[in-house]
Amino acid sequence: MAEIETAIFGLRRVKLLQGLTDVALERVARVCSWRRFDAGKAVITRSSTSRDLFIVVSGRVRVTVYTASGKQVTFRDLAEGETVGEIAAVDGGPRSVDVVAITEVLVAVMTPADLNALLREEASVAEQFTRHLVQLIRLLTETVIELSTLGVVNRIHAELLRLAYETGAEPDGSCLVSPAPRHADIAARVSTTREQVTREISVLAKRGLLVKHPEGMLVTDVNALDHMVERASREA
């Protein structure tokens, strides 16, 4: 009973399952298999034959792919409450990304059959799932547009702005991104080199827009960074 109660507590934080009663959450907990992954371990690989939905109950994972030449392209990082593997779970097709644990991770794994049953039985979950898939489409569309139209410097600015918005700005317009993103990780997201990211962050630091902080990276003026990205988008 204690294990089920712990599982229900973890599932309450999952966006897809918001609004479900404890009874419904218990049903979800019982149909899922539960797995732990150490930091650096593969959670999903593109070569996997699994088509299950993975629910991140605790920890953080990175959604990424490696090109034929070995170059890493990172799409996004996911924290507790997020899901991954939705596309294969819906259409039964092959995995399109690799997912790696950034920290120790606990995931609840749901089969496509159990996911479909949940969507049929719980209208609120079906609505949340539809909204989530639409948001994924918007995110991928924005990424394609940025990679196709913006220069490297502007793509770096856009990624820093995205990180700031995910964290949330303070009343004074500043934002502390914690922990500070690794330059190599930013480079993987915007398809450039770590050296280019380091140079541009140094430029922004000299302009006073970025400041080193004991707990991460401080964006001193999110609005100014937003205006820079918006101007570049208009001119693209």
Side-chain angles (χ1 to χ4, degrees):
M1 179 60 70
E3 291 181 353
I4 286 295
E5 289 177 353
T6 301
I8 291 173
F9 177 79
L11 292 176
R12 283 198 193 104
R13 301 193 293 266
V14 176
K15 295 177 182 178
L16 179 64
L17 307 177
Q18 294 294 310
L20 290 186
T21 64
D22 281 357
V23 173
L25 287 174
E26 181 176 344
R27 288 199 299 269
V28 173
R30 291 188 183 279
V31 301
C32 288
S33 59
W34 295 74
R35 303 178 193 172
R36 289 189 182 275
F37 297 88
D38 292 331
K41 296 296 184 180
V43 179
I44 299 176
T45 64
R46 280 188 291 170
S47 60
S48 171
T49 58
S50 161
R51 299 295 180 261
D52 298 334
L53 175 73
F54 284 67
I55 302 170
V56 182
V57 178
S58 65
R60 295 180 64 85
V61 300
R62 176 159 295 153
V63 183
T64 186
V65 295
Y66 290 89
T67 66
S69 63
K71 180 180 179 181
Q72 182 183 15
V73 179
T74 298
F75 292 106
R76 56 201 172 114
D77 292 349
L78 302 177
E80 62 182 37
E82 303 281 357
T83 56
V84 67
E86 303 91 343
I87 304 302
V90 169
D91 69 3
R95 296 292 192 188
S96 55
V97 295
D98 298 292
V99 180
V100 180
I102 301 174
T103 65
E104 181 180 347
V105 172
L106 173 65
V107 296
V109 184
M110 182 181 292
T111 67
D114 287 326
L115 173 62
N116 287 330
L118 179 64
L119 296 176
R120 288 194 302 269
E121 296 166 4
E122 300 288 350
S124 64
V125 176
E127 182 178 352
Q128 290 273 19
F129 193 66
T130 301
R131 289 180 179 275
H132 173 62
L133 292 179
V134 170
Q135 288 170 357
L136 279 181
I137 294 171
R138 287 187 181 278
L139 175 62
L140 291 175
T141 301
E142 291 172 1
T143 300
V144 169
I145 291 173
E146 287 178 4
L147 290 175
S148 302
T149 63
L150 298 182
V152 171
V153 168
N154 301 129
R155 296 202 303 271
I156 294 171
H157 294 171
E159 180 59 27
L160 292 172
L161 181 63
R162 187 175 294 115
L163 290 171
Y165 278 145
E166 287 177 357
T167 302
E170 297 294 330
D172 65 355
S174 68
C175 174
L176 177 61
V177 179
S178 180
R182 295 173 61 245
H183 294 186
D185 293 338
I186 295 176
R189 291 191 186 98
V190 302
S191 189
T192 187
T193 64
R194 179 182 58 80
E195 291 76 15
Q196 179 67 59
V197 173
T198 299
R199 283 194 293 270
E200 186 53 30
I201 285 181
S202 177
V203 169
L204 294 175
K206 290 178 180 178
R207 294 176 59 179
L209 283 175
L210 297 181
V211 176
K212 287 185 178 179
H213 188 279
E215 298 179 8
M217 178 184 68
L218 181 66
V219 181
T220 61
D221 192 337
V222 175
N223 287 333
L225 187 59
D226 192 346
H227 291 327
M228 291 166 61
V229 173
E230 183 179 354
R231 184 170 61 250
S233 297
R234 288 200 305 267
E235 295 173 352

